[in-house]
Amino acid sequence: MTFMKLLASAALVAGMATAAFAESHGKTKVGFVYVGPVGDGGWTYEHNEGRLAVEEEFGDKVETVFVESVAEGPDSERVMTQMALDGADLIFTTSFGYMDPTINVAAKFPDVKFEHATGYKRADNVSTYSARFYEGRAIQGHIAGKMTESNIVGYIGSYPIPEVIRGINSAFIHARKVNPDVQFKIVWAYTWFDPAKEADAAKVLIEQGADVILQHTDSTAPQAAAQEAGNVVTFGQASDMAQFAPFPRVSSIIDDWAPYYIARTKAVMDGTWESKDTWDGIGAGMVGIGEITDAVPADVKDEALALKASIADGSYHPFTGPLKKQDGSDFLAEGETADDGTLAGMNFYVEGIEGDIPQ
């Protein structure tokens, strides 16, 4: 009798294990590697919102996992490797500095699909994706140029990579269009997320006379520093940062990754995934413009929304000539627009921006 019970128990355990395996095997496992914490209020927060959207869209057909605050470099390679070993079918690596680690790990796991954000290296099982943040910077620049009273706009840069340089140039071009006297002061924080460093950068810029602060870093610390200073205008970065509206945050760039994450997960699920480059902007909905608050004069708000509409429908390109480079050499002739290759590798300031790009 005892022997029979043991057999029955063993059969039950085996059956449960088989069922559990079948359930997990039937799910598509999607991993996310984050450079900051999910609570950063900016870049990583929005990527995590995309992950949650995948769960909501596919329910028990998917399993998502994530690791936050992963340093760029060897740490990220270890995290990606472990995700692949743990059975991930698709891995999103969400920071520029993950590019080479993504390529390295993908070569070791040819059956796993990888998606790298903001990079440019692809492989048979590696796609790249990014948003045209510079389109949103154009709108911010327009508002900044109109709202500054000191004619000094501060810009907190993360790292001097093309994505950030494009943003600085785009904002400056459009600030100068509406205010020929505007100057940009740039502080490089050399971080994506470090609230203390970002707050210090904002304070330095404010001390230098900036009454508008733009940022390409991920925390809300510059917003808080501006709020404390008083009459300093800011813009949300990567997410709405609406807790600082209606002032100092008067608008924002919002990264909406959810549709892309859903589409690429579905492609893995139905076997149609293929390696490709995606670079979408306002028109495709990957870049959103947060509410422009009433702290912005009505006419400036109308102009900004008209600029947004013209970028969205393709009738206007933020990099349209005539434009010169910082050294005075020609960049774009009258009516000429920058091609994607030039934008993707941008390593120069446009005419009028002071200072050097760090090497």
Side-chain angles (χ1 to χ4, degrees):
M1 186 69 174
T2 304
F3 179 67
M4 295 301 291
K5 281 184 177 178
L6 284 171
L7 281 178
S9 297
L12 179 62
V13 170
M16 290 170 63
T18 302
F21 175 80
E23 182 183 0
S24 64
H25 193 68
K27 289 184 177 183
T28 298
K29 188 169 185 177
V30 186
F32 295 81
V33 184
Y34 298 145
V35 74
V38 294
D40 69 356
W43 175 262
T44 293
Y45 171 82
E46 287 297 336
H47 282 285
N48 197 56
E49 287 293 289
R51 179 186 69 83
L52 295 173
V54 169
E55 289 188 344
E56 184 176 348
E57 178 74 16
F58 299 110
D60 60 7
K61 294 179 182 177
V62 298
E63 176 190 356
T64 72
V65 295
F66 69 90
V67 181
E68 60 188 330
S69 301
V70 178
E72 296 172 324
D75 284 351
S76 66
E77 193 160 330
R78 285 192 290 271
V79 169
M80 294 171 207
T81 299
Q82 192 59 54
M83 276 188 180
L85 289 171
D86 289 343
D89 301 291
L90 172 64
I91 299 174
F92 292 98
T93 62
T94 64
S95 191
F96 180 81
Y98 295 159
M99 181 166 61
D100 288 336
T102 300
I103 293 295
N104 294 342
V105 177
K108 299 171 186 174
F109 296 92
D111 294 333
V112 179
K113 312 303 184 191
F114 291 80
E115 298 266 351
H116 178 234
T118 73
Y120 54 83
K121 292 184 179 180
R122 273 203 296 139
D124 288 346
N125 61 330
V126 180
S127 281
T128 67
Y129 64 102
S130 189
R132 295 181 184 269
F133 310 115
Y134 66 85
E135 294 181 349
R137 300 285 176 199
I139 296 160
Q140 289 186 346
H142 181 97
I143 296 172
K146 285 280 193 171
M147 292 196 71
T148 179
E149 295 180 3
S150 67
N151 290 328
I152 297 174
V153 173
Y155 204 112
I156 304 171
S158 47
Y159 295 96
I161 61 174
E163 173 194 328
V164 182
I165 296 165
R166 278 195 305 273
I168 293 169
N169 282 335
S170 181
F172 179 79
I173 289 165
H174 293 85
R176 266 286 169 95
K177 277 189 174 184
V178 297
N179 183 351
D181 296 323
V182 78
Q183 290 181 298
F184 270 32
K185 293 188 180 295
I186 301 160
V187 171
W188 294 98
Y190 292 98
T191 184
W192 293 112
F193 178 82
D194 186 324
K197 283 185 178 180
E198 295 174 65
D200 287 345
K203 290 172 184 175
V204 166
L205 290 166
I206 292 166
E207 287 171 1
Q208 292 178 353
D211 60 357
V212 179
I213 302 289
L214 300 171
Q215 67 183 89
H216 205 125
T217 53
D218 299 341
S219 88
T220 59
Q223 313 287 324
Q227 191 174 58
E228 183 180 346
N231 194 31
V232 177
V233 173
T234 62
F235 297 83
Q237 156 66 11
S239 72
D240 205 26
M241 300 186 178
Q243 65 268 42
F244 293 95
F247 197 87
R249 170 247 172 254
V250 299
S251 186
S252 56
I253 295 175
I254 302 172
D255 308 339
D256 186 2
W257 305 110
Y260 184 80
Y261 286 169
I262 289 169
R264 298 303 277 166
T265 300
K266 186 176 186 299
V268 169
M269 295 169 76
D270 62 23
T272 61
W273 189 97
E274 58 182 18
S275 175
K276 66 176 185 175
D277 297 316
T278 299
W279 199 10
D280 287 335
I282 292 174
M286 194 174 269
V287 175
I289 302 300
E291 177 197 9
I292 301 173
T293 72
D294 289 341
V296 178
D299 61 329
V300 178
K301 180 176 180 177
D302 289 344
E303 291 165 4
L305 291 174
L307 178 59
K308 174 189 173 184
S310 66
I311 293 172
D313 67 20
S315 60
Y316 174 73
H317 192 295
F319 285 92
T320 299
L323 288 172
K324 291 183 180 292
K325 297 182 180 181
Q326 186 187 49
D327 63 7
S329 62
D330 290 334
F331 172 28
L332 295 170
E334 176 79 38
E336 184 184 7
T337 59
D339 60 72
D340 280 356
T342 300
L343 293 175
M346 185 165 279
N347 61 356
F348 59 86
Y349 286 145
V350 294
E351 187 177 48
I353 296 180
E354 299 174 1
D356 297 324
I357 297 172
Q359 298 300 313

Coordinates of all heavy atoms in Angstrom, one line a residue, residues 234-313:
T234 N 11.7 74.8 -17.0 CA 12.3 73.5 -17.3 C 11.4 72.7 -18.2 O 10.2 73.1 -18.4 CB 12.6 72.6 -16.1 OG1 11.3 72.4 -15.4 CG2 13.5 73.3 -15.1
F235 N 11.9 71.6 -18.8 CA 11.1 70.7 -19.6 C 11.3 69.2 -19.1 O 12.5 68.8 -18.8 CB 11.5 70.8 -21.1 CG 11.3 72.1 -21.7 CD1 12.2 73.2 -21.5 CD2 10.2 72.4 -22.4 CE1 12.0 74.4 -22.0 CE2 9.9 73.6 -23.0 CZ 10.9 74.7 -22.8
G236 N 10.3 68.5 -19.1 CA 10.4 67.1 -18.7 C 11.2 66.3 -19.8 O 11.1 66.6 -21.0
Q237 N 12.0 65.4 -19.3 CA 12.9 64.6 -20.2 C 12.5 63.1 -20.2 O 12.5 62.5 -19.1 CB 14.4 64.8 -19.8 CG 15.3 63.7 -20.2 CD 15.5 63.5 -21.7 OE1 15.1 64.4 -22.4 NE2 16.1 62.4 -22.1
A238 N 12.2 62.6 -21.3 CA 11.8 61.2 -21.5 C 10.4 60.8 -21.0 O 9.7 60.0 -21.6 CB 12.9 60.2 -20.9
S239 N 10.0 61.4 -19.9 CA 8.7 61.2 -19.4 C 8.1 62.6 -19.0 O 8.8 63.6 -19.0 CB 8.6 60.2 -18.2 OG 9.1 60.8 -17.1
D240 N 6.9 62.6 -18.7 CA 6.2 63.9 -18.6 C 6.7 64.8 -17.4 O 6.7 66.0 -17.5 CB 4.7 63.7 -18.4 CG 3.9 64.9 -18.9 OD1 4.4 65.6 -19.7 OD2 2.8 65.0 -18.4
M241 N 7.1 64.1 -16.3 CA 7.5 64.9 -15.1 C 6.5 65.9 -14.7 O 6.8 67.0 -14.3 CB 8.9 65.5 -15.3 CG 10.0 64.4 -15.6 SD 11.7 65.1 -15.7 CE 12.7 63.6 -16.0
A242 N 5.2 65.5 -14.9 CA 4.1 66.5 -14.7 C 4.0 66.9 -13.2 O 3.2 67.9 -13.0 CB 2.8 65.9 -15.2
Q243 N 4.6 66.2 -12.3 CA 4.5 66.7 -10.9 C 5.1 68.1 -10.7 O 4.9 68.7 -9.7 CB 5.2 65.7 -10.0 CG 6.7 65.5 -10.1 CD 7.1 64.4 -11.1 OE1 6.5 64.2 -12.1 NE2 8.1 63.6 -10.7
F244 N 5.9 68.5 -11.7 CA 6.5 69.9 -11.6 C 5.8 70.9 -12.5 O 6.2 72.0 -12.7 CB 8.0 69.8 -12.0 CG 8.8 69.1 -11.0 CD1 9.1 67.7 -11.2 CD2 9.3 69.7 -9.9 CE1 9.9 67.0 -10.3 CE2 10.0 69.0 -8.9 CZ 10.3 67.6 -9.1
A245 N 4.6 70.5 -13.1 CA 3.8 71.4 -13.9 C 2.8 72.1 -12.9 O 2.5 71.6 -11.8 CB 3.0 70.6 -14.9
P246 N 2.3 73.3 -13.2 CA 2.5 74.0 -14.5 C 3.8 74.8 -14.6 O 4.2 75.4 -15.6 CB 1.3 75.0 -14.5 CG 1.1 75.2 -13.1 CD 1.4 73.9 -12.4
F247 N 4.6 74.8 -13.5 CA 5.9 75.5 -13.5 C 6.8 75.0 -12.4 O 6.2 74.6 -11.3 CB 5.7 77.0 -13.3 CG 6.8 77.9 -13.6 CD1 7.0 78.4 -14.9 CD2 7.8 78.2 -12.7 CE1 8.1 79.1 -15.3 CE2 8.9 79.0 -13.0 CZ 9.0 79.5 -14.3
P248 N 8.0 74.7 -12.6 CA 8.9 75.2 -13.7 C 8.7 74.3 -15.0 O 9.0 74.8 -16.1 CB 10.3 75.0 -13.1 CG 10.2 73.9 -12.2 CD 8.8 74.1 -11.5
R249 N 8.2 73.1 -14.9 CA 8.1 72.3 -16.1 C 6.9 72.7 -16.9 O 5.8 72.7 -16.5 CB 7.9 70.8 -15.7 CG 7.6 69.9 -16.9 CD 6.2 69.4 -16.7 NE 5.6 68.6 -17.8 CZ 4.7 69.1 -18.6 NH1 4.2 70.4 -18.4 NH2 4.2 68.4 -19.5
V250 N 7.2 73.3 -18.1 CA 6.2 73.9 -19.0 C 5.8 73.0 -20.1 O 4.8 73.2 -20.8 CB 6.6 75.3 -19.5 CG1 6.8 76.2 -18.3 CG2 7.8 75.2 -20.4
S251 N 6.6 71.9 -20.4 CA 6.2 70.9 -21.4 C 7.3 69.8 -21.2 O 8.0 69.8 -20.3 CB 6.2 71.4 -22.8 OG 5.8 70.4 -23.7
S252 N 7.2 68.8 -22.1 CA 8.1 67.7 -22.0 C 8.3 66.9 -23.3 O 7.4 67.1 -24.2 CB 7.6 66.7 -20.9 OG 6.3 66.3 -21.2
I253 N 9.3 66.1 -23.4 CA 9.5 65.1 -24.4 C 9.1 63.8 -23.7 O 9.7 63.4 -22.7 CB 10.9 65.0 -25.0 CG1 11.2 66.3 -25.7 CG2 11.0 63.8 -25.9 CD1 12.7 66.4 -26.2
I254 N 8.2 63.0 -24.3 CA 7.8 61.8 -23.7 C 8.1 60.7 -24.7 O 7.8 60.7 -25.9 CB 6.3 61.7 -23.5 CG1 5.9 62.9 -22.5 CG2 5.8 60.4 -22.9 CD1 4.4 63.0 -22.4
D255 N 8.9 59.7 -24.2 CA 9.2 58.5 -25.1 C 8.2 57.4 -24.9 O 8.0 56.9 -23.8 CB 10.6 57.9 -24.6 CG 11.7 59.0 -24.6 OD1 11.5 60.0 -25.2 OD2 12.7 58.7 -23.9
D256 N 7.5 57.1 -26.0 CA 6.4 56.1 -25.9 C 6.9 54.8 -26.6 O 6.8 54.7 -27.8 CB 5.1 56.6 -26.5 CG 4.0 55.6 -26.3 OD1 4.2 54.6 -25.7 OD2 2.9 55.9 -26.9
W257 N 7.5 53.9 -25.8 CA 8.0 52.7 -26.3 C 7.0 51.5 -26.4 O 7.3 50.5 -27.1 CB 9.2 52.2 -25.5 CG 10.3 53.2 -25.2 CD1 10.6 53.8 -24.1 CD2 11.2 53.7 -26.2 NE1 11.6 54.7 -24.3 CE2 12.0 54.6 -25.5 CE3 11.4 53.4 -27.6 CZ2 13.1 55.3 -26.2 CZ3 12.4 54.1 -28.2 CH2 13.2 55.0 -27.5
A258 N 5.9 51.7 -25.8 CA 4.9 50.6 -25.7 C 4.5 50.0 -27.1 O 4.6 48.8 -27.3 CB 3.7 51.0 -24.9
P259 N 4.1 50.8 -28.1 CA 3.7 50.2 -29.4 C 4.8 49.4 -30.0 O 4.6 48.3 -30.6 CB 3.3 51.4 -30.2 CG 2.9 52.4 -29.2 CD 3.9 52.2 -28.1
Y260 N 6.1 49.9 -29.9 CA 7.2 49.1 -30.5 C 7.4 47.8 -29.7 O 7.6 46.8 -30.4 CB 8.4 50.0 -30.5 CG 9.6 49.3 -31.1 CD1 9.8 49.4 -32.5 CD2 10.6 48.7 -30.4 CE1 10.8 48.7 -33.1 CE2 11.7 48.1 -31.0 CZ 11.8 48.1 -32.4 OH 12.8 47.5 -33.0
Y261 N 7.4 47.9 -28.4 CA 7.7 46.6 -27.6 C 6.6 45.6 -27.9 O 6.9 44.4 -28.0 CB 7.7 47.0 -26.2 CG 9.0 47.7 -25.8 CD1 9.2 48.3 -24.5 CD2 10.1 47.8 -26.7 CE1 10.4 48.9 -24.2 CE2 11.3 48.4 -26.3 CZ 11.4 48.9 -25.1 OH 12.6 49.6 -24.7
I262 N 5.4 46.0 -28.0 CA 4.3 45.1 -28.3 C 4.5 44.5 -29.7 O 4.3 43.3 -29.9 CB 2.9 45.8 -28.2 CG1 2.6 46.1 -26.7 CG2 1.8 45.0 -28.8 CD1 1.4 47.1 -26.5
A263 N 4.8 45.3 -30.7 CA 4.9 44.8 -32.1 C 6.1 43.9 -32.2 O 6.0 42.8 -32.9 CB 5.1 46.0 -33.0
R264 N 7.2 44.2 -31.5 CA 8.4 43.3 -31.7 C 8.2 42.0 -30.9 O 8.7 40.9 -31.3 CB 9.6 44.0 -31.2 CG 9.9 45.3 -32.1 CD 10.0 44.9 -33.5 NE 11.4 44.5 -33.9 CZ 11.7 43.9 -35.0 NH1 10.7 43.6 -35.9 NH2 12.9 43.5 -35.3
T265 N 7.5 42.0 -29.8 CA 7.2 40.8 -29.0 C 6.2 39.9 -29.9 O 6.4 38.7 -30.0 CB 6.5 41.1 -27.7 OG1 7.4 41.9 -26.9 CG2 6.2 39.9 -26.9
K266 N 5.2 40.5 -30.5 CA 4.3 39.8 -31.4 C 5.1 39.2 -32.5 O 4.8 38.0 -32.9 CB 3.2 40.7 -31.9 CG 2.1 40.0 -32.7 CD 1.0 40.9 -33.1 CE -0.1 40.2 -33.7 NZ 0.3 39.5 -34.9
A267 N 6.1 39.9 -33.1 CA 6.8 39.3 -34.2 C 7.6 38.1 -33.8 O 7.7 37.1 -34.5 CB 7.8 40.4 -34.7
V268 N 8.1 38.1 -32.6 CA 8.8 36.9 -32.1 C 7.8 35.7 -31.9 O 8.0 34.6 -32.2 CB 9.5 37.2 -30.7 CG1 10.0 35.9 -30.1 CG2 10.7 38.1 -31.0
M269 N 6.6 36.1 -31.3 CA 5.6 35.1 -31.1 C 5.1 34.4 -32.3 O 4.8 33.2 -32.4 CB 4.4 35.7 -30.3 CG 4.8 36.2 -28.9 SD 3.6 37.2 -28.1 CE 2.4 36.0 -27.6
D270 N 4.9 35.2 -33.4 CA 4.4 34.6 -34.6 C 5.4 34.3 -35.7 O 5.1 33.9 -36.8 CB 3.3 35.5 -35.2 CG 3.8 36.9 -35.7 OD1 5.0 37.0 -35.9 OD2 3.0 37.8 -35.8
G271 N 6.7 34.4 -35.3 CA 7.8 34.0 -36.2 C 8.1 34.9 -37.3 O 8.8 34.5 -38.2
T272 N 7.7 36.2 -37.2 CA 8.0 37.1 -38.3 C 9.1 38.1 -38.0 O 9.4 39.0 -38.8 CB 6.7 37.9 -38.7 OG1 6.3 38.7 -37.5 CG2 5.6 37.0 -39.1
W273 N 9.7 37.9 -36.8 CA 10.8 38.9 -36.4 C 11.9 38.8 -37.3 O 12.4 37.8 -37.8 CB 11.3 38.5 -35.0 CG 12.2 39.5 -34.3 CD1 11.9 40.5 -33.5 CD2 13.6 39.6 -34.6 NE1 13.0 41.2 -33.1 CE2 14.1 40.7 -33.8 CE3 14.5 38.9 -35.3 CZ2 15.4 41.1 -33.7 CZ3 15.9 39.3 -35.3 CH2 16.3 40.4 -34.5
E274 N 12.4 40.0 -37.7 CA 13.6 40.1 -38.5 C 14.5 41.3 -38.1 O 13.9 42.2 -37.5 CB 13.3 40.2 -40.0 CG 12.5 41.4 -40.3 CD 12.1 41.4 -41.8 OE1 12.2 40.4 -42.5 OE2 11.7 42.5 -42.3
S275 N 15.7 41.2 -38.3 CA 16.7 42.3 -37.9 C 16.4 43.5 -38.8 O 16.4 43.4 -40.0 CB 18.1 41.8 -38.1 OG 19.0 42.9 -37.8
K276 N 16.3 44.6 -38.1 CA 16.0 45.9 -38.8 C 16.4 47.1 -38.0 O 16.6 46.9 -36.7 CB 14.6 46.0 -39.3 CG 13.6 46.1 -38.2 CD 12.2 46.3 -38.8 CE 11.1 46.5 -37.7 NZ 9.8 46.8 -38.3
D277 N 16.5 48.3 -38.6 CA 16.7 49.5 -37.8 C 15.3 50.3 -37.8 O 14.7 50.4 -38.8 CB 17.7 50.4 -38.6 CG 19.1 49.8 -38.6 OD1 19.5 49.2 -37.6 OD2 19.7 49.8 -39.7
T278 N 15.0 50.8 -36.7 CA 13.8 51.6 -36.5 C 14.2 52.9 -35.9 O 14.9 53.0 -34.9 CB 12.7 50.9 -35.7 OG1 12.4 49.7 -36.3 CG2 11.5 51.8 -35.5
W279 N 13.8 54.0 -36.5 CA 14.0 55.4 -36.0 C 12.8 56.2 -36.3 O 12.6 56.8 -37.4 CB 15.3 56.0 -36.7 CG 15.9 57.1 -35.9 CD1 15.6 57.5 -34.7 CD2 16.9 58.0 -36.4 NE1 16.4 58.6 -34.3 CE2 17.2 58.9 -35.3 CE3 17.7 58.1 -37.6 CZ2 18.2 59.9 -35.5 CZ3 18.6 59.1 -37.7 CH2 18.9 60.0 -36.6
D280 N 11.9 56.3 -35.3 CA 10.6 57.0 -35.5 C 10.6 58.2 -34.6 O 11.3 58.4 -33.6 CB 9.5 56.0 -35.1 CG 9.3 55.0 -36.2 OD1 9.6 55.2 -37.3 OD2 8.7 53.9 -35.8
G281 N 9.6 59.1 -34.9 CA 9.5 60.4 -34.2 C 8.1 60.7 -33.8 O 7.3 59.9 -33.5
I282 N 7.9 62.0 -34.0 CA 6.6 62.6 -33.5 C 5.5 62.0 -34.4 O 4.4 61.6 -33.9 CB 6.6 64.1 -33.6 CG1 7.5 64.7 -32.5 CG2 5.2 64.7 -33.4 CD1 7.7 66.2 -32.6
G283 N 5.7 61.9 -35.7 CA 4.6 61.4 -36.6 C 4.2 60.0 -36.3 O 3.0 59.7 -36.4
A284 N 5.1 59.2 -36.0 CA 4.8 57.8 -35.7 C 4.4 57.6 -34.2 O 3.9 56.5 -33.9 CB 6.0 56.9 -36.0
G285 N 4.5 58.6 -33.4 CA 4.0 58.5 -32.0 C 5.1 58.0 -31.0 O 4.8 57.9 -29.9
M286 N 6.3 57.8 -31.5 CA 7.3 57.3 -30.6 C 7.8 58.5 -29.7 O 8.3 58.3 -28.6 CB 8.5 56.7 -31.3 CG 9.5 55.9 -30.5 SD 10.7 55.0 -31.4 CE 9.9 53.4 -31.7
V287 N 7.7 59.7 -30.2 CA 8.1 60.9 -29.5 C 6.8 61.7 -29.2 O 6.1 62.0 -30.2 CB 9.1 61.8 -30.2 CG1 9.3 63.1 -29.5 CG2 10.4 61.0 -30.4
G288 N 6.5 61.9 -28.0 CA 5.3 62.7 -27.6 C 5.7 64.0 -27.0 O 6.8 64.2 -26.5
I289 N 4.9 65.0 -27.2 CA 5.1 66.3 -26.5 C 4.1 66.5 -25.4 O 2.9 66.4 -25.6 CB 5.0 67.5 -27.5 CG1 5.9 67.3 -28.7 CG2 5.2 68.8 -26.9 CD1 7.4 67.2 -28.3
G290 N 4.6 66.6 -24.2 CA 3.7 66.7 -23.0 C 3.0 68.0 -23.1 O 3.4 69.0 -23.8
E291 N 1.9 68.1 -22.3 CA 1.1 69.3 -22.3 C 1.9 70.6 -22.1 O 2.8 70.6 -21.3 CB 0.1 69.2 -21.1 CG -0.8 70.5 -21.0 CD -1.4 70.6 -19.6 OE1 -1.1 69.8 -18.7 OE2 -2.3 71.5 -19.5
I292 N 1.7 71.5 -23.0 CA 2.3 72.8 -22.8 C 1.4 73.6 -21.9 O 0.3 73.9 -22.2 CB 2.4 73.5 -24.2 CG1 3.3 72.7 -25.1 CG2 3.1 74.9 -24.0 CD1 3.4 73.2 -26.6
T293 N 1.9 74.0 -20.7 CA 1.1 74.6 -19.7 C 0.8 76.1 -20.0 O 1.4 76.7 -20.8 CB 1.8 74.5 -18.3 OG1 2.9 75.4 -18.3 CG2 2.3 73.1 -18.1
D294 N -0.1 76.6 -19.2 CA -0.5 78.0 -19.4 C 0.6 79.0 -18.9 O 0.4 80.2 -19.0 CB -1.8 78.3 -18.6 CG -3.0 77.6 -19.3 OD1 -2.8 77.3 -20.5 OD2 -4.0 77.4 -18.7
A295 N 1.7 78.4 -18.3 CA 2.8 79.3 -18.0 C 3.5 79.8 -19.3 O 4.2 80.8 -19.3 CB 3.9 78.5 -17.2
V296 N 3.2 79.1 -20.4 CA 3.7 79.6 -21.7 C 2.7 80.5 -22.3 O 1.5 80.1 -22.4 CB 4.0 78.3 -22.6 CG1 4.4 78.8 -24.0 CG2 5.0 77.4 -22.0
P297 N 3.1 81.7 -22.8 CA 2.1 82.6 -23.4 C 1.4 81.9 -24.6 O 1.9 81.0 -25.3 CB 3.0 83.7 -24.0 CG 4.2 83.7 -23.1 CD 4.5 82.2 -22.7
A298 N 0.1 82.2 -24.7 CA -0.8 81.6 -25.7 C -0.2 81.6 -27.1 O -0.3 80.6 -27.8 CB -2.1 82.2 -25.6
D299 N 0.4 82.7 -27.5 CA 0.9 82.7 -28.9 C 2.1 81.8 -29.1 O 2.2 81.2 -30.1 CB 1.2 84.2 -29.3 CG 2.3 84.8 -28.4 OD1 2.4 84.4 -27.2 OD2 3.1 85.6 -28.9
V300 N 2.9 81.7 -28.0 CA 4.1 80.8 -28.1 C 3.6 79.4 -28.1 O 4.2 78.5 -28.9 CB 5.0 81.1 -26.9 CG1 6.2 80.1 -27.0 CG2 5.5 82.5 -26.9
K301 N 2.6 79.1 -27.3 CA 2.0 77.7 -27.3 C 1.5 77.4 -28.7 O 1.8 76.3 -29.2 CB 0.9 77.6 -26.3 CG 0.3 76.3 -26.2 CD -0.7 76.2 -25.0 CE -1.4 74.9 -24.9 NZ -2.4 74.8 -23.8
D302 N 0.8 78.3 -29.3 CA 0.2 78.0 -30.7 C 1.3 77.8 -31.7 O 1.2 76.9 -32.5 CB -0.7 79.2 -31.1 CG -2.0 79.3 -30.3 OD1 -2.3 78.3 -29.7 OD2 -2.6 80.4 -30.3
E303 N 2.4 78.6 -31.6 CA 3.5 78.4 -32.5 C 4.2 77.1 -32.3 O 4.5 76.4 -33.3 CB 4.5 79.5 -32.3 CG 4.1 80.9 -32.7 CD 5.0 82.0 -32.1 OE1 6.0 81.7 -31.5 OE2 4.6 83.2 -32.3
A304 N 4.3 76.7 -31.1 CA 5.0 75.4 -30.7 C 4.1 74.2 -31.3 O 4.7 73.2 -31.8 CB 5.2 75.2 -29.2
L305 N 2.8 74.3 -31.1 CA 2.0 73.2 -31.6 C 1.9 73.2 -33.1 O 1.8 72.1 -33.7 CB 0.5 73.4 -31.0 CG 0.4 73.2 -29.5 CD1 -1.0 73.5 -29.1 CD2 0.7 71.7 -29.2
A306 N 2.0 74.4 -33.8 CA 2.1 74.4 -35.2 C 3.4 73.7 -35.7 O 3.4 73.0 -36.7 CB 2.0 75.8 -35.7
L307 N 4.5 74.0 -35.0 CA 5.8 73.4 -35.3 C 5.7 71.9 -35.1 O 6.2 71.1 -36.0 CB 6.9 74.0 -34.4 CG 8.3 73.4 -34.6 CD1 8.8 73.6 -36.0 CD2 9.3 74.1 -33.6
K308 N 5.1 71.4 -34.1 CA 4.9 70.0 -33.8 C 4.1 69.4 -35.0 O 4.5 68.3 -35.5 CB 4.2 69.8 -32.5 CG 3.8 68.3 -32.3 CD 2.8 68.2 -31.1 CE 2.3 66.8 -30.9 NZ 1.4 66.7 -29.8
A309 N 3.1 70.0 -35.4 CA 2.2 69.5 -36.5 C 3.0 69.4 -37.8 O 2.9 68.4 -38.6 CB 1.0 70.3 -36.7
S310 N 3.8 70.4 -38.1 CA 4.6 70.4 -39.3 C 5.7 69.3 -39.3 O 6.0 68.7 -40.4 CB 5.2 71.8 -39.6 OG 6.2 72.1 -38.6
I311 N 6.3 69.1 -38.2 CA 7.2 68.0 -38.1 C 6.5 66.6 -38.2 O 7.0 65.7 -38.9 CB 8.0 68.0 -36.7 CG1 8.9 69.3 -36.7 CG2 8.9 66.8 -36.5 CD1 9.5 69.6 -35.3
A312 N 5.4 66.5 -37.6 CA 4.6 65.2 -37.6 C 4.2 64.9 -39.0 O 4.3 63.7 -39.4 CB 3.4 65.3 -36.7
D313 N 3.8 65.8 -39.8 CA 3.3 65.5 -41.1 C 4.4 65.5 -42.2 O 4.1 65.2 -43.4 CB 2.1 66.4 -41.5 CG 2.5 67.9 -41.8 OD1 3.7 68.2 -42.0 OD2 1.6 68.7 -41.7

